[in-house]
């Protein structure tokens, strides 16, 4: 468990939700694949901010003691060899994360997947959380975080019918959430990510690799992509 960073806040907005709201502090604008932030008019890379969202949620759970990140061995190539991987193991502390936040789902998923033939790898945790395949899982990550915030009233969900068959969904930021976000600092989250990258490079590389694996597995590809 990492103790070198300032403890993150568990309420009222979770670390992953703060990363989304203040995405310009965790991601830069790219040539393509950007999303518009809710607090500002800035646009940032959906890939970068989504990766930071997942990292923040996972490492915050570890920091609070809700889970442990453990490098272990798993079978590969039809059991012919074993390779190192990163597991998410339920910890000894129960943490009250905000309802429907990514943070609130990580430990229950770790418990469920551990019981299911020890499938509690980081990639399987995030794969299960994403629920469905999509053409752009980076955007799906952002939308799931927004949806979780909307269920608690921190975002206003607006649905519009298009051509009678399609429903477009977008989210507005209430003034109350704007004020709330302004009161919560992201510095502890940034310290948490930096501490992991600098002091535990093996764990950091595994998390990055597993997030990439998750996105690849959840991506719907056209025939022309192959």
């Amino acid at each position: 468990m990492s103790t070198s960073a300032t403890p993150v806040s568990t309420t009222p907005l979770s670390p992953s939700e703060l990363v989304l709201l203040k995405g310009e502090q965790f991601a830069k604008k790219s040539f393509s694949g950007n999303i518009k932030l809710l607090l500002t008019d800035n646009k940032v890379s959906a890939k970068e901010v989504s990766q930071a969202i997942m990292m923040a949620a996972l490492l915050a759970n570890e920091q609070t003691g809700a889970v442990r990140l453990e490098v272990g061995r798993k079978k590969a190539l039809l059991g012919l060899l074993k390779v190192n991987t990163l597991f998410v193991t339920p910890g000894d502390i129960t943490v009250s994360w905000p309802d429907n936040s990514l943070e609130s789902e990580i430990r229950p998923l770790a418990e469920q997947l551990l019981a299911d033939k020890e499938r509690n790898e980081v990639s399987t945790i995030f794969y299960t959380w994403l629920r469905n395949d999509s053409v752009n899982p980076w955007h799906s990550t952002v939308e799931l975080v927004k949806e979780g915030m909307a269920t608690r009233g921190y975002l206003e969900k607006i649905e519009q019918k298009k051509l009678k068959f399609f429903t477009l969904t977008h989210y507005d930021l209430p003034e109350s959430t704007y004020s709330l976000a302004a009161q919560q600092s992201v510095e502890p989250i940034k310290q948490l990510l930096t501490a992991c990258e600098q002091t535990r490079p093996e764990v950091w590389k595994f998390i990055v690799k597993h997030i990439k694996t998750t996105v690849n597995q959840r991506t719907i590809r056209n025939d022309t992509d192959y």
Side-chain angles (χ1 to χ4, degrees), residues 60-110:
N61 263 277
E62 183 197 29
Q63 188 192 55
T64 57
V67 302
R68 297 187 300 273
L69 299 181
E70 300 176 335
V71 176
R73 306 278 282 176
K74 74 167 185 175
K75 292 180 180 180
L77 291 178
L78 300 176
L80 297 177
L81 58 82
K82 288 189 175 183
V83 297
N84 284 341
T85 188
L86 187 63
F87 292 101
V88 184
T89 303
D92 301 322
I93 298 175
T94 300
V95 180
S96 297
W97 294 110
D99 291 341
N100 299 301
S101 65
L102 170 53
E103 284 82 355
S104 71
E105 297 194 39
I106 287 179
R107 176 173 172 150
L109 285 174

Side-chain angles (χ1 to χ4, degrees), residues 149-181:
M149 294 177 66
T151 61
R152 308 199 314 274
Y154 289 115
L155 291 179
E156 181 182 357
K157 184 176 182 178
I158 300 173
E159 295 182 334
Q160 296 178 318
K161 290 286 186 179
K162 294 291 184 180
L163 302 176
K164 296 184 180 180
F165 299 104
F166 303 99
T167 300
L168 297 181
T169 301
H170 72 274
Y171 297 86
D172 283 348
L173 185 75
E175 183 63 33
S176 57
T177 304
Y178 183 96
S179 301
L180 189 62

Side-chain angles (χ1 to χ4, degrees), residues 21 23 33 42 49 59 101 105 112 132 142 144 163 171 181:
L21 292 176
N42 293 335
V49 78
L59 293 174
S101 65
E105 297 194 39
Q112 171 190 328
N132 301 305
V142 169
L144 275 175
L163 302 176
Y171 297 86

Side-chain angles (χ1 to χ4, degrees), residues 4 27 30 32 34 43 48 54-55 59 69 72 83 89 97 100 104 124 134 137 140 158 163 171 180 196 198 202 208:
S4 57
S30 62
S32 62
N34 295 300
K43 292 184 178 181
E48 289 184 13
M54 287 187 270
M55 286 180 163
L59 293 174
L69 299 181
V83 297
T89 303
W97 294 110
N100 299 301
S104 71
T124 314
S134 70
S140 298
I158 300 173
L163 302 176
Y171 297 86
L180 189 62
C196 180
Q198 293 181 351
E202 182 183 26
V208 172

